[in-house]
Amino acid sequence: MRSLFVIGDSISIQYGPHLKWMVEGAYRYDRKRGEQEALADLDRPAGANGGDSSLVLEYLQKEDEKGTRYDLLLLNCGLHDIKTDMSTRSIQITAEQYRTNLEEILALSIRMAKETVWVRTTDVVDRIHNERSQLFFRYHRDVVAYNEIADQVFGQRDVPILDLYRFSRIFGESAYNDHVHFTEEVRRLQAAYIAGFLDSHLKEGD
């Protein structure tokens, strides 16, 4: 049985338990460790929360130095990259740096994993996020722009791209239970969507 290792933001932490159950029997599920630490503050990249692309890159570099290898690597970063300072309006990771980080993440994933799947970043509704968030802004336009960058980087090497962005938008604004995270029902549906994608991907690889 192949292993599935997840490195992603807090969205992945929340759909993770459902995904683990849904892929049982097809994959051994694992992820970046420290879920309790991450759940203490979903806006702070700690523990299982992969954080922005610089942190994901740093994590993979350290794991590569230890000789860690994966069967299937499910990757995502973007929501932390587009955090925008409320005072200076500066973005946490510029688009140029995001592209550079993803190119290095891609190179590492090709070496470290037999297969990689990239997960597109879920959307932000400006009004909902920026009225509810007390720490930083995020904007829909940046989600779109950064997803396009990721599409280009991973698409050029024919890495499968799982469009969780488009899937999650189907459920509209009622899908959110805070500024950016989803209700329990939507998390289950996201997990089912991912499991279905992986099931199809597994059959194609056989």
Side-chain angles (χ1 to χ4, degrees):
M1 185 187 302
R2 294 196 292 181
S3 62
L4 166 64
F5 195 88
V6 178
I7 303 173
D9 55 28
S10 54
I11 307 299
S12 73
I13 295 172
Q14 292 189 324
Y15 65 62
H18 302 295
L19 180 60
K20 180 179 181 179
W21 176 77
M22 291 175 185
V23 300
E24 186 176 354
Y27 295 95
R28 294 189 304 276
Y29 176 94
D30 199 2
R31 66 166 300 121
K32 187 174 182 285
R33 304 298 175 84
E35 292 189 39
Q36 291 307 310
E37 182 182 1
L39 290 170
D41 184 351
L42 293 174
D43 287 324
R44 183 175 65 90
N49 193 330
D52 64 30
S53 57
S54 292
L55 290 175
V56 170
L57 176 58
E58 180 183 339
Y59 176 81
L60 284 174
Q61 288 170 334
K62 290 179 178 177
E63 291 300 305
D64 185 41
E65 290 172 2
K66 294 189 292 186
T68 302
R69 295 295 181 262
Y70 309 105
D71 287 334
L72 177 58
L73 184 58
L74 191 69
L75 276 175
N76 162 261
C77 52
L79 280 179
H80 290 276
D81 295 82
I82 65 167
K83 287 178 177 176
T84 300
D85 187 277
M86 289 181 165
S87 299
T88 65
R89 300 304 174 99
S90 61
I91 200 163
Q92 182 159 310
I93 300 291
T94 66
E96 294 77 13
Q97 187 60 53
Y98 186 64
R99 181 183 296 275
T100 298
N101 287 345
L102 291 192
E103 288 172 346
E104 294 188 44
I105 287 169
L106 173 60
L108 276 170
S109 70
I110 289 173
R111 179 164 72 250
M112 297 175 70
K114 294 177 182 177
E115 296 180 274
T116 299
V117 172
W118 175 259
V119 181
R120 299 184 89 220
T121 299
T122 51
D123 201 13
V124 168
V125 177
D126 293 6
R127 177 184 56 80
I128 292 176
H129 184 283
N130 298 330
E131 286 179 1
R132 298 178 182 179
S133 175
Q134 303 298 313
L135 301 174
F136 47 80
F137 293 134
R138 285 188 178 109
Y139 297 98
H140 165 78
R141 64 173 184 265
D142 293 324
V143 175
V144 172
Y146 281 49
N147 270 335
E148 288 178 355
I149 291 170
D151 290 346
Q152 294 165 9
V153 171
F154 288 93
Q156 69 183 354
R157 295 299 296 268
D158 295 323
V159 172
I161 296 173
L162 195 159
D163 197 355
L164 195 63
Y165 165 84
R166 189 176 301 276
F167 176 80
S168 301
R169 278 173 59 87
I170 293 171
F171 307 105
E173 295 184 3
S174 63
Y176 296 96
N177 70 349
D178 62 8
H179 56 304
V180 74
H181 301 100
F182 297 96
T183 64
E184 192 66 30
E185 178 59 22
V186 172
R187 297 172 201 171
R188 282 194 291 269
L189 292 169
Q190 288 172 329
Y193 175 69
I194 296 168
F197 182 97
L198 295 179
D199 180 60
S200 174
H201 182 63
L202 176 62
K203 289 177 180 175
E204 289 174 1
D206 289 342

